[in-house]
């Protein structure tokens, strides 16, 4: 049985406790590897290695030297594309057609994009008068923040981990990564690429385990970690924020959402259907930016529901290596229990089940997988938990609206504010409505269209801080002002 070990100070190491847990293929329920669980000793060793690396060769490198290495990391991921793809799909169950176009290429790009960006970001300089008439010069310099604790999620394991590690390393920091216990493989595999690219030992460290009383808790409690970045559910973000308050460590949190899509009658309906299908069902609905609430202008409501139903029922459910499939399983049987509980709650609350609502029939060799049907509801009250709580599954509720103001009010009615999508061909309406939506990112006539130079993050209970472009550099560096008396 394959074992997935920690990566500490440039080497793969076992847990001193000997504790192992299962890595399960969600497509068939079979155990594919054993994962070493970190205790306090492994986490402490990783943090100490990261701290030492700051004072070693990594800390003495120029920006040009550091970014050259990061470009080699990106090239190393691309050179082992098939290996990363296989590992990612075994961990998540997602179709290779999806992971090969998004997860792996973007995972590599996160190193090269931020390597280029960090070389071209200015700070500031000011001349000031002084009473003696000689003046003074103030100028800003960026310095690494230190050791960064990276806690990454299971839905886009490589992409969202490198989205944090790429800019952190570009800015000269070192990292200790705690990947999700569900999807550890590509994070561990990246250690080999780091070594081959010439990343000094201790710069990139990985510890495996769970949250409470395991690697996650030990990492967030460690006093020698300078900042934390996390993507995941709001409750876990609150826990990390409380832990980081001791020692006044900074946090960047991209948290849960219950994202709204607004479809106006003047939209291009073909675009709106295609975009909403992706936003509701891509990656089996396991996308933080996905659309679980859809508000449709009443005059096109029936047609929209019928067409979205047809699109959902045309999805091809199958395992990652089936080239014809475009809809995989959920990440685990445990997560399926959660999603199915909402499916049942929708029925209990009086929903009309437009399509789906259960578990599909699968061949015997896949019957143990975490399969679930893409599901659409109508008819729920606005206060139903199915409408107000994040499900993180392949489902959406569609509700009609009559006025623009009503749609805006509905979209903003929840304590989340991560993302939204607006569908209209009226340019004035697009700008007007987008400006009033309480969300960190608003798409107009598109979804998941990402320029890595732009700010990314949530408002309200969907997060704190922004990543992407210069905003990542602001989090991963300390801006120091130097004042020189002339």
């Amino acid at each position: 049985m394959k074992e997935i070990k920690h990566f500490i100070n440039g080497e793969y190491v076992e847990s001193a406790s000997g504790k192992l847990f299962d890595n399960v293929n969600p497509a068939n329920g079979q155990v594919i590897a054993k994962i070493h669980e970190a205790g306090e000793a492994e986490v402490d060793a990783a943090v100490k290695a990261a701290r030492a690396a700051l004072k070693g060769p990594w800390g003495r490198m120029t920006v040009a030297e550091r970014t050259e290495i990061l470009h080699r990391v990106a090239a190393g991921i691309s050179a082992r594309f098939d290996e990363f793809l296989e590992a990612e799909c075994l961990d998540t169950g997602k179709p290779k057609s999806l992971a090969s176009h998004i997860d792996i290429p973007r995972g590599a790009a996160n190193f090269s994009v931020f390597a280029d960006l960090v070389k071209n970001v200015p700070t500031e300089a000011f001349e000031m008068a002084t009473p003696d008439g000689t003046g003074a010069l103030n100028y800003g310099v960026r310095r690494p923040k230190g050791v960064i604790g990276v806690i990454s999620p299971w839905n886009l394991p490589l992409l969202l981990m490198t989205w944090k590690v790429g800019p952190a390393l570009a800015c000269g920091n070192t990292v200790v990564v705690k990947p999700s216990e569900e999807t550890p493989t590509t994070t561990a595999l990246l250690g080999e690429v780091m070594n081959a690219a010439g990343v000094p030992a201790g710069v990139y460290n990985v510890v495996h385990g769970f949250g409470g009383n395991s690697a996650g808790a030990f990492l967030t409690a460690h006093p020698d970690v300078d900042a934390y970045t996390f993507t995941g559910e709001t409750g876990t973000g609150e826990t990390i924020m409380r832990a980081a308050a001791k020692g006044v460590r900074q946090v960047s949190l991209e948290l849960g959402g219950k994202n709204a899509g607004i479809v106006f009658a003047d939209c291009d309906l073909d675009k709106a259907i295609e975009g909403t299908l992706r936003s509701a069902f891509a990656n089996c609905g396991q996308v933080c930016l996905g659309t679980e609430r859809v508000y449709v202008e009443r005059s096109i409501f029936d047609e929209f529901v019928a067409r979205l139903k047809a699109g959902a029922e045309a999805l091809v459910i199958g395992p990652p290596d089936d080239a014809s499939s475009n809809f995989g399983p959920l990440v685990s049987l445990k997560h399926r229990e959660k999603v199915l509980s909402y499916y049942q709650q929708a029925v209990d609350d009086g929903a009309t089940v437009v399509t789906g609502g259960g578990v599909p029939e699968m061949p015997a060799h896949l019957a143990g997988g975490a399969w679930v049907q893409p599901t659409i509801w109508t008819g729920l009250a606005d206060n139903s938990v199915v409408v107000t709580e994040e499900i993180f599954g392949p489902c959406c509720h569609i509700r009609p609206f009559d006025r623009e103001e009503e749609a805006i009010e509905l979209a903003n009615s929840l304590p989340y504010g991560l993302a939204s999508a607006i569908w209209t061909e009226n340019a004035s309406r697009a700008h007007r409505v987008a400006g009033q939506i309480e969300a960190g990112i608003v798409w107009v006539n598109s979804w998941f269209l990402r320029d890595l130079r732009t700010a990314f993050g949530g408002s309200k209970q969907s997060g704190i801080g922004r990543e992407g472009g210069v905003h990542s550099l602001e989090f991963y560096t300390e801006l120091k002002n130097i004042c020189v008396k002339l």
Side-chain angles (χ1 to χ4, degrees), residues 210-263:
F210 304 90
N213 197 34
S214 188
F218 302 144
L219 181 60
T220 55
H222 202 291
D224 212 22
V225 178
D226 297 292
Y228 295 95
T229 176
F230 168 73
T231 296
E233 64 179 6
T234 299
T236 305
E238 291 173 345
T239 300
I240 293 170
M241 197 171 180
R242 282 193 293 269
K246 188 172 184 178
V248 197
R249 279 87 58 79
Q250 287 188 311
V251 293
S252 176
L253 306 174
E254 195 253 289
L255 306 177
K258 187 70 174 179
N259 307 310
I262 303 176
V263 184

Side-chain angles (χ1 to χ4, degrees), residues 74-88:
I77 295 172
S78 299
R80 301 177 67 173
F81 186 94
D82 291 342
E83 194 174 351
F84 274 92
L85 178 63
E86 183 72 16
E88 198 77 332

Side-chain angles (χ1 to χ4, degrees), residues 6-319:
H6 314 294
F7 185 77
I8 299 173
N9 205 30
E11 297 179 343
Y12 289 96
V13 299
E14 300 178 355
S15 294
S17 67
K19 284 186 178 180
L20 303 173
F21 59 97
D22 292 342
N23 183 22
V24 177
N25 180 349
N28 56 26
Q30 295 180 359
V31 177
I32 52 177
K34 295 287 186 178
I35 309 164
H36 286 256
E37 182 180 355
E40 288 186 83
E42 288 77 26
V43 172
D44 185 58
V47 174
K48 285 179 177 175
R51 179 63 60 189
L54 285 171
K55 300 177 182 179
W58 187 248
R60 294 192 292 269
M61 286 184 184
T62 65
V63 172
E65 291 169 335
R66 203 164 59 229
T67 55
E68 182 182 348
I69 289 176
L70 295 184
H71 276 290
R72 292 203 295 266
V73 172
I77 295 172
S78 299
R80 301 177 67 173
F81 186 94
D82 291 342
E83 194 174 351
F84 274 92
L85 178 63
E86 183 72 16
E88 198 77 332
C89 291
L90 282 173
D91 270 3
T92 63
K94 65 180 63 181
K96 286 186 176 180
S97 58
L98 176 65
S100 63
H101 286 91
I102 297 178
D103 299 59
I104 312 306
R106 275 279 306 276
N110 285 334
F111 287 103
S112 55
V113 167
F114 286 106
D116 289 337
L117 184 68
V118 76
K119 294 184 291 187
N120 298 292
V121 176
T123 53
E124 58 191 15
F126 298 98
E127 291 182 87
M128 64 178 291
T130 57
D132 62 4
T134 62
L137 177 66
N138 290 273
Y139 63 93
V141 294
R142 293 192 181 276
R143 294 293 180 261
K145 187 154 286 182
V147 177
I148 309 295
V150 177
I151 303 171
S152 52
W154 49 255
N155 58 327
L156 296 160
L158 181 70
L159 190 160
L160 291 178
M161 180 269 294
T162 60
W163 172 244
K164 302 170 183 300
V165 171
L169 298 192
C171 292
N173 301 282
T174 58
V175 297
V176 179
V177 184
K178 205 296 281 184
S180 167
E181 63 274 14
E182 303 282 2
T183 54
T185 311
T186 50
T187 301
L189 180 60
L190 186 59
E192 295 182 10
V193 174
M194 292 282 181
N195 283 347
V199 176
V203 171
Y204 174 79
N205 305 275
V206 180
V207 290
H208 301 294
F210 304 90
N213 197 34
S214 188
F218 302 144
L219 181 60
T220 55
H222 202 291
D224 212 22
V225 178
D226 297 292
Y228 295 95
T229 176
F230 168 73
T231 296
E233 64 179 6
T234 299
T236 305
E238 291 173 345
T239 300
I240 293 170
M241 197 171 180
R242 282 193 293 269
K246 188 172 184 178
V248 197
R249 279 87 58 79
Q250 287 188 311
V251 293
S252 176
L253 306 174
E254 195 253 289
L255 306 177
K258 187 70 174 179
N259 307 310
I262 303 176
V263 184
F264 289 98
D266 58 17
C267 72
D268 181 319
L269 197 53
D270 290 339
K271 291 180 187 176
I273 292 294
E274 187 274 336
T276 306
L277 275 171
R278 287 193 299 114
S279 69
F281 304 120
N283 201 32
C284 203
Q286 300 167 127
V287 180
C288 57
L289 303 166
T291 303
E292 292 188 5
R293 297 182 292 148
V294 186
Y295 301 108
V296 180
E297 197 161 1
R298 194 175 299 275
S299 62
I300 62 168
F301 179 80
D302 291 340
E303 183 181 1
F304 183 92
V305 171
R307 290 187 60 179
L308 199 70
K309 174 181 185 292
E313 293 175 350
L315 293 169
V316 181
I317 301 175

